[in-house]
Structure formats: structure tokens, C-alpha cells
Amino acid sequence: MASTWADLIGRLDMEWEVLAADMPASAWARWRRVCPALRGVDRVVELPGWLLDQSHDVRDAVVLGLVRLVQEGSQLAGRTVLRLLGPGLSRMVGDLRGRAWSLGCSPGEVGEHLVAAFWEAMWTYPIQARPRRVAANLILDARTACLWGNRSRF
């Protein structure tokens, strides 16, 4: 059953709030060791608001560090990146709705396809080769995967 993008992202955001609130302090301490840019944040639930006031370099460092944690197996890090980049993904869903036929889905299912492609983009992101403009690269990689599959990635 297809849901609207607003429903999907709303559910994901609510789930993230619960997961983030339940994050053990030891796990947050590990994240801060892996990603020193997070040291300015006391709890993961504060991250979205805090990040808005940071420079592009800090934002890149945070998203790159979270992607590194994703690639080490942290589902919550992936959900956190999804939460942080939700507005960019929302714009991309709007752009892709007109191409739903090429994705093999209805316009209402575009968001689901984009989230799946975004998840894959995080797991396969070349951290060493592309350490800058990480958020934009992830969103564009997901868009490319939606439109062309894996044929034209990287």
C-alpha cells in the first residue's frame, strides 16, 4: 500500500524521535569518538537543531561520520542521516513524482523508492573518495539510483 511522502517521512521522524531518545549514553559516546564534530552536542535528539547553526565543514564532518557509522552497522546512524536530510529528500520526491512511470511505481510510491535508494547510497558511499558535500552527494546518488538503477552510479 502506497503512502504519501508526508505520511512516510512523518512516521520515520516520529520513530527516530523514540529511537534517539532511547539511545544509550555509551552508544552516543562511541559516536562522538568516531565523529569528533559531534562533541558539541550532548544528546542525539539535539543534533538536528544544532546542525542548522553549523558551518558547511561541520555539517560535512557530521554527515560523513554518521555514514561511517552506518557502514560499520549502525542502523540508528542511518536513521539519523535520513532524519537530517529529510528536507532535501522531500524536494527530490517532488522532482521525481513526474517520472514515477520510469521508476515502475505510482507517484505516491516515489518516496518509498527514494528512501530505499538513499539507504543503499549510505551503505555504499565512498567515504575516502568523496569527503565533501556529503549530504548533496547522498541525495543525488539516491536520485540517480532511482532513475537509472545501479548502472550509472559512481
Side-chain angles (χ1 to χ4, degrees):
M1 178 177 140
S3 62
T4 67
W5 174 250
D7 292 340
L8 176 60
I9 202 70
R11 279 194 321 272
L12 290 170
D13 283 350
M14 285 190 303
E15 289 173 6
W16 181 83
E17 293 286 341
V18 171
L19 293 169
D22 291 342
M23 183 181 198
S26 60
W28 180 241
R30 181 178 178 283
W31 281 26
R32 291 170 68 177
R33 280 192 305 277
V34 170
C35 181
L38 292 173
R39 291 191 180 137
V41 186
D42 292 326
R43 298 175 48 226
V44 71
V45 294
E46 299 168 4
L47 183 57
W50 176 83
L51 202 57
L52 291 173
D53 296 327
Q54 303 307 308
S55 69
H56 290 292
D57 289 342
V58 171
R59 290 179 195 173
D60 267 342
V62 167
V63 176
L64 192 66
L66 291 172
V67 170
R68 182 173 284 114
L69 288 162
V70 168
Q71 292 178 2
E72 292 175 3
S74 174
Q75 299 286 320
L76 182 55
R79 291 295 300 272
T80 301
V81 176
L82 183 61
R83 170 68 173 83
L84 295 173
L85 303 186
L89 290 170
S90 293
R91 287 187 291 279
M92 193 60 61
V93 165
D95 293 343
L96 290 173
R97 276 201 181 111
R99 299 178 179 186
W101 61 271
S102 69
L103 303 176
C105 65
S106 72
E109 295 171 322
V110 167
E112 296 167 9
H113 285 260
L114 186 60
V115 168
F118 184 78
W119 198 260
E120 180 184 342
M122 286 188 293
W123 276 93
T124 59
Y125 190 79
I127 291 171
Q128 299 299 326
R130 296 168 71 197
R132 300 277 182 247
R133 299 185 42 81
V134 181
N137 286 333
L138 285 168
I139 291 169
L140 291 174
D141 288 351
R143 179 185 186 277
T144 299
C146 275
L147 291 173
W148 304 106
N150 289 326
R151 294 183 307 236
S152 64
R153 290 196 51 210
F154 314 116

